[in-house]
Amino acid sequence: MKISVLKERRPGETRVAATPETVKKLIGLGHTVTVEGGAGTVAGFLDAAFTEAGASIAGSAAEAASGADIVFKVRRPEPGEIAALPEGAALIALMEPYAYPAEELAALNAKKIAALSMEFTPRITRAQSMDALSSQSNLAGYRSVIEGAQIYGRAMPMMMTAAGTVAPAKVFIMGAGVAGLQAIATARRLGAVVTANDVRPAAKEQVASLGAKFIAVEDDEFKAAETSGGYAKEMSPEYQAKQAALTASHIAKQDIVVTTALIPGRPAPVLITEEMVKSMKPGSVIVDMAVSQGGNCPLSKADEIVDVGGVKVAGFSNLPARLPADASSLYAKNLLAFIPLITAEGGALTLDTEDEVVVAMLLTRNGATVSERLK
């Protein structure tokens, strides 16, 4: 198969969907790879490195995609990029499926593109190596604490000196999924006193294992607050009110708060109200990781730091892009792990499969929208 890797064009997107390492492995599997010139430059992967790995370098997106069986991207293509895709090709990317504009979906179907969304990778054991949401969230959780510590501007660990003692920072992580757990681990490594919460009962043990204290209203609803796929359920208004009261009393004492709560296909739940923000000490920091889906704090704004009475509310819409080399490497390996599922004997593309992973990820095919979740 011919696999094409296109350059990302969205503002602030620094990642690339292949690295010289994965290109070499794809070629070893019998595929040919064409990379659009400059696609990996910002992430530190120069055209020369891709050439050395065996890839061809193309001067434009249209040239790179010409004749491609599969097109790799990090983010879904914009309307102008769809025009460059060959008719009937497979497109694999983080497609942001729940927010996909109808006209762009129609444009994919007009070209009979088989679009596969990396967000829809099932959370099953054999698909773990393909789970791009987890690989990117892991880095995002790490980076959220680094960004929060930088904005906070004070020391994170306790320091006992001849001039006096510096108290450790108090860090509260709201949500203990993949991103939250990495945020907890990072804050602990930096020496902070860490607390965390989550609506999923299984998270309590995970939080404790990382040396943080678990904060939650542990009633009957809490005990049943996880889907079979491992995601958090949306909680009742009654539970949210009880949790908000507990959070309000706890958050006023914190130096850094990181919010990570997302529900697939829905606006991010509000975890921190304006009143809670105003109860915090001047100099405190909130890092809202859910800002791209409306935010866990109504005061956060995408890619801005808002000052509310001395409390900094930071909204980072694309934290993995702040670690482009590692984010690209992990994402490229996710794609590499997925390729065998759509490769027939002899290396040809095949989507005629009952494989549950492929079926779950397919959004469009042969001119029609096939994903039940999108329908």
Side-chain angles (χ1 to χ4, degrees):
M1 292 188 295
K2 177 183 176 181
I3 298 173
S4 295
V5 181
L6 301 189
K7 184 178 180 178
E8 300 302 313
R9 289 170 167 78
R10 293 178 185 270
E13 185 53 74
T14 60
R15 293 171 289 178
V16 62
T19 65
E21 179 188 355
T22 61
V23 164
K24 189 172 183 178
K25 290 179 178 178
L26 288 167
I27 291 172
L29 292 172
H31 309 302
T32 61
V33 180
T34 300
V35 178
E36 184 181 354
T41 301
V42 180
F45 304 112
L46 303 182
D47 290 350
F50 283 115
T51 301
E52 188 177 340
S56 300
I57 302 298
S60 65
E63 183 185 341
S66 178
D69 298 292
I70 298 177
V71 174
F72 284 173
K73 276 186 58 62
V74 177
R75 305 281 292 279
R76 73 171 186 241
E78 295 181 322
E81 295 176 279
I82 294 174
L85 302 178
E87 185 166 331
L91 166 68
I92 311 176
L94 292 164
M95 298 291 288
E96 303 163 65
Y98 289 118
Y100 213 105
E103 62 274 15
E104 293 183 26
L105 203 60
L108 290 177
N109 283 328
K111 301 199 78 169
K112 298 182 179 179
I113 301 297
L116 295 116
S117 178
M118 292 298 285
E119 292 97 331
F120 281 173
T121 305
R123 284 194 163 174
I124 57 177
T125 301
R126 72 182 184 88
Q128 284 181 340
S129 61
M130 311 163 200
D131 187 354
L133 275 186
S134 291
S135 73
Q136 302 303 290
S137 294
N138 193 52
L139 289 170
Y142 163 80
R143 188 70 191 195
S144 69
V145 174
I146 301 301
E147 296 288 351
Q150 191 276 328
I151 298 167
Y152 180 52
R154 300 183 185 181
M156 295 289 278
M158 174 183 282
M159 294 184 183
M160 301 182 71
T161 75
T165 299
V166 176
K170 297 184 181 73
V171 177
F172 183 33
I173 310 299
M174 303 186 74
V178 174
L181 291 173
Q182 185 56 250
I184 292 167
T186 303
R188 286 282 295 153
R189 289 189 197 107
L190 291 175
V193 174
V194 184
T195 53
N197 69 0
D198 198 281
V199 298
R200 296 171 300 115
K204 182 177 181 179
E205 185 177 339
Q206 294 169 324
V207 166
S209 72
L210 293 171
K213 183 180 179 182
F214 192 72
I215 306 290
V217 176
E218 299 184 42
D219 60 10
D220 289 339
E221 184 175 359
F222 171 79
K223 294 173 184 176
E226 187 171 349
T227 69
S228 59
Y231 293 97
K233 290 181 180 178
E234 187 168 19
M235 305 300 281
S236 70
E238 292 76 19
Y239 183 89
Q240 290 181 34
K242 289 187 287 185
Q243 184 67 20
L246 176 62
T247 299
S249 63
H250 184 67
I251 207 170
K253 308 166 191 172
Q254 303 305 302
D255 298 308
I256 299 174
V257 180
V258 177
T259 67
T260 72
L262 289 171
I263 301 169
R266 295 176 180 267
V270 174
L271 303 181
I272 301 178
T273 63
E274 183 174 349
E275 291 72 24
M276 292 179 191
V277 175
K278 291 178 178 178
S279 76
M280 297 177 73
K281 304 183 297 288
S284 302
V285 177
I286 296 169
V287 178
D288 190 345
M289 292 182 63
V291 70
S292 61
Q293 285 185 222
N296 297 141
C297 176
L299 300 179
S300 64
K301 295 182 180 180
D303 302 313
E304 292 186 27
I305 299 174
V306 180
D307 190 311
V308 184
V311 177
K312 303 293 196 303
V313 183
F316 297 103
S317 62
N318 191 352
L319 281 162
R322 291 173 176 260
L323 295 163
D326 289 329
S328 298
S329 294
L330 294 182
Y331 180 69
K333 289 176 182 176
N334 294 143
L335 293 173
L336 178 66
F338 176 68
I339 283 295
L341 298 189
I342 55 172
T343 305
E345 270 188 59
L349 174 67
T350 175
L351 293 171
D352 295 318
T353 176
E354 297 299 317
D355 189 290
E356 62 182 316
V357 177
V358 179
V359 170
M361 293 171 64
L362 264 174
L363 303 184
T364 62
R365 188 183 178 202
N366 294 330
T369 299
V370 297
S371 171
E372 292 299 324
R373 281 182 275 192
L374 287 192
K375 288 180 183 178

